[in-house]
Amino acid sequence: MKNGKYQVAIVGAGGIARWAHMPGWQKQDDVEILAVADPDWETAQKFAADFNIPHVFTEYQKIAEMDQVDIVDVCAPNSVHCPASVSALLSGKHVLCEKPLAVKSSEVIEMITAANQTGKKLMCAQHQRFRKESRVVKDLIDDGVFGEIYFAQAQALRRRSVPARPTFIKKELSGGGPLLDIGVHILDLTYWFMGCPKVASVKGVTFTKLAKREDVHGLWGEWDRQAYDVEDFAAGFIRFTNGTAISLSCSFLANITVIEDFSTILYGTQAGIHWPNGKLATEKNGVLQDIELHIPQHPEVRPHAEEIRVFLECVRENKPVPVKPEESLEVIKMLEGIYQSAETGQEVIFAPAG
Ligand SMILES: NC(=O)c1ccc[n+]([C@@H]2O[C@H](COP(=O)([O-])OP(=O)(O)OC[C@H]3O[C@@H](n4cnc5c(N)ncnc54)[C@H](O)[C@@H]3O)[C@@H](O)[C@H]2O)c1
């Protein structure tokens, strides 16, 4: 800390750092952004100039050498999450890391080990958990409104929206396609709603049927068809040791009748709900009831900023982080299991199902 302020360094000066993380850090009175690292020197310099950041590097390793840095915020492509986080943790910094926490479970284990060794905080930036709709549904779950939630149907389906940057379409940077990019969001949220049970087994399929075609166009611009080497559709079926299950489907380019379906449906013994639309189905005294939740929105509270506020509070008060790295590890095991199952055609078994 310097002058009573936490010193933060940003790794990766791209889109998410600029439009989501910086506004979050800027809302905090006891934070200064001390450094930024990005191998693209022009991007790094422009970011530093725009946000008045004194130290600019092309290598994230330089941040590890800065004793003054308290917190590293990793906003680089997925394949950089593990090495950049481990470097920061082992040099005594707390780490907030974009999703997915890493591209392989072995990497997540390495990150958790580094955090445990140094006693520093590590949290994955699963901002969907910090949406108002998510907090409301979670509170209802904790109040027992749904009874036992035994099944969930989660989808992160886009019709024609490929994020056209190499960060998302080149496996060496992203580690995977929509499954790792948007599937991780809805799976993490659904898994959290279901109480984070241990994964028992995973079955999955992946397809690349549309992304390589020249006649399929994107609403977010065109992508390099040659460079695109990840799936454009993935689906999985996940069973947990407590007997519950999740079915998951995700795509950048699905032929569906809406632009996007980013949702999860929770099936409970007492009630069910569609997130995020808040339509709840239940029964009382033999009468079926459909209830629509009207969730007040506070536009000034953005989920990314809220996630940063809560993470900082955990650092300040030395509290456990709300997105536990062990939960992220289970999520990455599920995603990795879907890829593995898609490749082998076999179910991947982690533990006996309940
Ligand atoms: N939570 C969300 O809603 C959300 C949304 C978009 C992206 N993301 C995540 O944020 C991360 C970055 O995505 P983006 O949209 O900002 O991508 P981007 O392509 O806009 O930016 C990535 C930046 O990282 C830089 N980079 C590449 N290698 C690096 C390295 N070794 N060290 C430091 N920087 C490096 C690139 O030069 C680029 O400037 C990804 O992990 C992505 O999954 C999250």
Side-chain angles (χ1 to χ4, degrees):
M1 279 189 105
K2 206 171 99 190
N3 306 329
K5 296 195 176 195
Y6 288 96
Q7 303 296 307
V8 173
I10 308 284
V11 172
I16 196 74
R18 179 175 283 277
W19 63 257
H21 287 230
M22 283 307 297
W25 292 117
Q26 284 172 323
K27 281 180 93 170
Q28 301 303 316
D29 292 335
D30 57 350
V31 160
E32 266 172 16
I33 309 295
L34 187 66
V36 58
D38 194 301
D40 182 332
W41 178 241
E42 261 180 41
T43 299
Q45 278 212 313
K46 177 155 183 12
F47 193 90
D50 290 348
F51 296 108
N52 204 15
I53 301 172
H55 299 274
V56 193
F57 305 111
T58 49
E59 292 164 346
Y60 65 74
Q61 290 87 345
K62 295 280 181 212
I63 286 170
E65 295 165 16
M66 294 184 80
D67 291 341
Q68 316 92 294
V69 172
D70 303 294
I71 296 170
V72 173
D73 182 8
V74 180
C75 296
N78 302 345
S79 61
V80 182
H81 291 183
C82 173
S85 299
V86 169
S87 153
L89 287 163
L90 291 181
S91 61
K93 292 129 178 56
H94 303 287
V95 170
L96 177 68
C97 178
E98 256 307 333
K99 43 52 65 172
L101 189 51
V103 296
K104 291 191 214 137
S105 56
S106 56
E107 290 185 333
V108 180
I109 292 169
E110 208 186 315
M111 293 159 88
I112 294 176
T113 306
N116 289 345
Q117 256 174 34
T118 54
K120 296 293 162 183
K121 311 272 176 227
L122 167 66
M123 186 175 104
C124 185
Q126 296 289 173
H127 77 277
Q128 297 291 337
R129 292 198 195 188
F130 297 89
R131 284 173 64 167
K132 182 77 179 167
E133 300 91 325
S134 309
R135 312 303 306 188
V136 166
V137 168
K138 182 66 170 152
D139 285 347
L140 292 173
I141 292 170
D142 291 346
D143 286 348
V145 167
F146 301 97
E148 182 204 359
I149 298 172
Y150 51 90
F151 186 73
Q153 184 190 329
Q155 40 277 316
L157 296 167
R158 292 183 187 150
R159 188 169 185 171
R160 289 288 183 273
S161 304
V162 177
R165 303 192 288 292
T167 299
F168 301 95
I169 65 164
K170 288 183 74 153
K171 197 170 177 191
E172 60 169 1
L173 292 175
S174 66
L179 184 62
L180 275 188
D181 182 33
I182 48 180
V184 71
H185 275 308
I186 201 68
L187 179 60
D188 175 79
L189 183 72
T190 305
Y191 177 63
W192 177 62
F193 284 154
M194 294 180 76
C196 301
K198 282 273 168 202
V199 59
S201 67
V202 175
K203 254 184 173 175
V205 285
T206 59
F207 304 95
T208 311
K209 297 281 186 191
L210 282 79
K212 307 288 275 181
R213 278 169 43 188
E214 297 292 342
D215 63 327
V216 173
H217 300 284
L219 295 170
W220 293 353
E222 295 302 312
W223 58 96
D224 182 339
R225 306 297 194 276
Q226 295 295 321
Y228 194 104
D229 64 355
V230 292
E231 83 283 358
D232 63 33
F233 189 104
F237 190 83
I238 302 148
R239 298 166 79 105
F240 297 99
T241 55
N242 66 358
T244 64
I246 295 176
S247 102
L248 169 73
S249 23
C250 1
S251 179
F252 289 150
L253 288 167
N255 280 322
I256 51 174
T257 57
V258 288
I259 295 295
E260 180 176 274
D261 179 1
F262 186 80
S263 64
T264 191
I265 303 170
L266 305 176
Y267 296 86
T269 49
Q270 300 302 322
I273 193 164
H274 179 289
W275 178 98
N277 79 10
K279 289 191 178 158
L280 190 153
T282 188
E283 179 178 347
K284 204 160 193 186
N285 304 330
V287 179
L288 300 182
Q289 294 188 340
D290 296 345
I291 298 168
E292 196 162 343
L293 303 179
H294 293 280
I295 300 170
Q297 289 298 327
H298 301 281
E300 71 285 3
V301 183
R302 309 293 304 160
H304 289 284
E306 185 59 8
E307 147 199 291
I308 283 171
R309 184 192 69 74
V310 171
F311 177 73
L312 189 64
E313 190 177 277
C314 294
V315 169
R316 227 185 261 127
E317 298 174 17
N318 194 18
K319 295 192 299 197
V321 293
V323 185
K324 296 186 179 50
E326 293 74 18
E327 295 165 4
S328 300
L329 174 60
E330 288 298 295
V331 169
I332 301 302
K333 274 165 64 180
M334 295 176 225
L335 298 176
E336 193 174 49
I338 291 175
Y339 283 126
Q340 193 184 326
S341 169
E343 211 173 296
T344 62
Q346 306 292 314
E347 186 166 17
V348 179
I349 311 287
F350 293 97

